Amino acid sequence: MKPKKKNVIAIILGGGQGSRLYPLTESRSKPAVPIGGKYRLVDIPISNCMNSDIYRMFVLTQFNSASLNAHIKNTYNFSIFSHAFVDILAAEQTPDNPTWFQGTADAVRQCMPHFLNHDFDYALILSGDQLYQMDFNDMLEEHIKNEADISIATLPVNAKDAPEFGILKTNSESCIESFIEKPAKELLPDWESDVSEQMKSEGKNYLASMGIYIFNKKLLVDIMSNKETKDFGKEIIPQAVGHRKILSYQYEGYWTDIGNIDSFFEANIGLTDDLPKFNLFDDTNKIYTRPRLLPPSKFQKTMVDKSLISEGCILNAKEINRSVIGIRSRIGEGTIIQNSYVMGNDFYQNIDDMNEDLKSDRQLVGIGERCFISNALVDKNCRIGNDVYINGGNHLEDFSNELYAIKDGIVVIKKGAVIPDNYIIK
């Protein structure tokens, strides 16, 4: 039995301060971080919901939410005759809740009065910083068929990755019997679960929680009445094991947690692969985002290989290789971009502004001439001068100043930074 649309609400957790994604989260919330040249991270869970015919969504956030508010307001406008919506719920002080969100469960608890204004039987709880494509109807159908109290999406992982996750152990009916948070490697032999033959052949014998949950409404309301529990993964799920019927829904597709600069960088560069694990070219799993009235991108003497070029770009670069180029990017003559993500710009400079900048020896918005940029993330609205040399890699130590940061060898040029001519990072 396919769940009725009106019976499900989706709750998308926007995350905390996002310190591991700094400096991308210096002036924006984690769900608002640009990804893939033209999207935002929050577009991923929202698109998964829409592709699953779930059209009532709440996004919970509390840090730097202005750009997220603007993106959702300008993107997700449904018919006034439908019940569809994407609402942002930011942390707010009330007589009952005078504090900010203290964890994922506390965020849901504080927002519960807003959820209860709507009719629903099931709450689908999602993370706002993961990259994947999933039909949630399959998970909901299994949840209902098995009369589960809670369902958790699980991902088969190998012994190398297992210590980074919460690991679950299931019985023959795919019900979760035990849970351990980030187990030591020596404990792993006791935590193998039944997985498909394909997963066994890849050595993926352990089930990791993906942070995607389905709760029955009554149970969620009951659990939220306990104000002592603050987090789903660390408290609510472990405490429910053995006391509630918790179903493991195994997912074997591509999934990655965009938790830090390294994973964010790899996820974006991975989109340039011949057959990327995350498929942007799938009509049945479209990624929705803000519709922009931008012109086609324009090239002049530019060699492009294995790259994604967004709309509205003016590219005079010499070479762009294995890179993602975001909307409205401007790149000057003789410049080489390789293995990098250039997020682009929020606006175009007009000719008068450009001439005024040139007269005053100010850098133009975009990337100048004869630059070399490798293993880098260039945030939005940067002004990079001519003959700039940026060569990221493992030879660089972690570092941060007002212009850029280095994390795991990746050079991150901060949003709106002005990099002078002949600047070198190597």
Side-chain angles (χ1 to χ4, degrees), residues 20-250:
R20 290 190 299 155
L21 270 178
Y22 176 88
L24 301 180
T25 51
E26 187 172 24
S27 61
R28 58 168 78 91
S29 63
K30 204 183 327 184
V33 172
I35 190 169
K38 59 179 289 183
Y39 309 98
R40 305 269 186 157
L41 270 174
V42 75
D43 292 329
I44 305 305
I46 291 176
S47 297
N48 279 322
C49 286
M50 293 173 63
N51 291 328
S52 304
D53 294 328
I54 297 170
Y55 289 98
R56 296 185 300 160
M57 292 163 268
F58 295 93
V59 180
L60 278 51
T61 187
Q62 65 182 347
F63 287 97
N64 291 331
S65 56
S67 63
L68 180 66
N69 287 338
H71 175 72
I72 288 180
K73 176 178 70 70
N74 292 324
T75 305
Y76 300 102
N77 298 309
F78 300 101
S79 167
I80 60 173
F81 299 107
S82 77
H83 296 287
F85 62 82
V86 181
D87 282 354
I88 294 180
L89 298 178
E92 57 183 354
Q93 288 187 326
T94 68
D96 295 329
N97 293 302
T99 63
W100 287 48
F101 299 152
Q102 303 299 304
T104 55
D106 188 59
V108 172
R109 178 183 299 108
Q110 291 195 35
C111 295
M112 186 61 70
H114 300 287
F115 308 147
L116 295 178
N117 287 331
H118 299 268
D119 176 35
F120 69 96
D121 296 323
Y122 309 101
L124 173 66
I125 299 177
L126 307 171
S127 171
D129 55 0
Q130 298 174 347
L131 190 61
Y132 64 104
Q133 290 166 308
M134 179 189 291
D135 186 347
F136 296 127
N137 280 312
D138 294 340
M139 185 176 175
L140 282 160
E141 288 172 11
E142 289 297 311
H143 178 88
I144 294 169
K145 183 177 73 174
N146 288 277
E147 298 181 340
D149 297 314
I150 304 170
S151 288
I152 302 176
T154 57
L155 184 77
V157 296
N158 57 33
K160 178 184 176 183
D161 295 333
E164 301 299 317
F165 293 93
I167 299 297
L168 312 161
K169 192 168 184 179
T170 58
N171 61 20
S172 58
E173 297 178 342
S174 295
C175 288
I176 296 168
E177 294 185 323
S178 51
F179 173 92
I180 185 170
E181 181 74 13
K182 296 184 177 180
K185 285 191 175 183
E186 55 268 21
L187 299 177
L188 288 179
D190 296 328
W191 286 90
E192 291 189 6
S193 287
D194 187 25
V195 297
S196 69
E197 291 301 319
Q198 176 63 36
M199 293 296 101
K200 285 180 182 177
S201 68
E202 297 177 17
K204 297 179 178 179
N205 298 305
Y206 310 96
L207 291 179
S209 171
M210 297 168 60
I212 296 172
Y213 313 109
I214 296 174
F215 281 81
N216 293 339
K217 176 182 177 180
K218 183 179 183 306
L219 175 59
L220 185 63
V221 172
D222 289 346
I223 288 175
M224 290 298 106
S225 64
N226 178 8
K227 296 184 178 181
E228 299 302 314
T229 52
K230 308 295 184 185
D231 192 86
F232 282 103
K234 295 177 182 176
E235 295 172 279
I236 286 179
I237 298 303
Q239 291 170 13
V241 171
H243 302 283
R244 303 287 183 178
K245 186 173 184 180
I246 308 177
L247 184 71
S248 163
Y249 175 78
Q250 285 193 41

Side-chain angles (χ1 to χ4, degrees), residues 258-269:
I258 310 290
N260 54 42
I261 291 293
D262 183 52
S263 60
F264 176 81
F265 182 78
E266 290 301 324
N268 278 281
I269 299 302

Side-chain angles (χ1 to χ4, degrees), residues 253-315:
Y254 172 74
W255 176 92
T256 187
D257 181 23
I258 310 290
N260 54 42
I261 291 293
D262 183 52
S263 60
F264 176 81
F265 182 78
E266 290 301 324
N268 278 281
I269 299 302
L271 297 174
T272 68
D273 291 343
D274 291 341
L275 291 173
K277 295 178 181 178
F278 186 86
N279 186 7
L280 292 172
F281 301 88
D282 185 350
D283 277 341
T284 61
N285 285 295
K286 292 180 180 177
I287 305 301
Y288 298 93
T289 193
R290 178 181 175 182
R292 300 176 178 91
L293 301 178
L294 291 174
S297 289
K298 182 168 65 173
F299 299 80
Q300 182 172 321
K301 299 179 182 178
T302 303
M303 193 282 285
V304 179
D305 184 39
K306 288 190 175 179
S307 297
L308 295 181
I309 311 296
S310 303
E311 61 264 43
C313 298
I314 301 173
L315 305 176

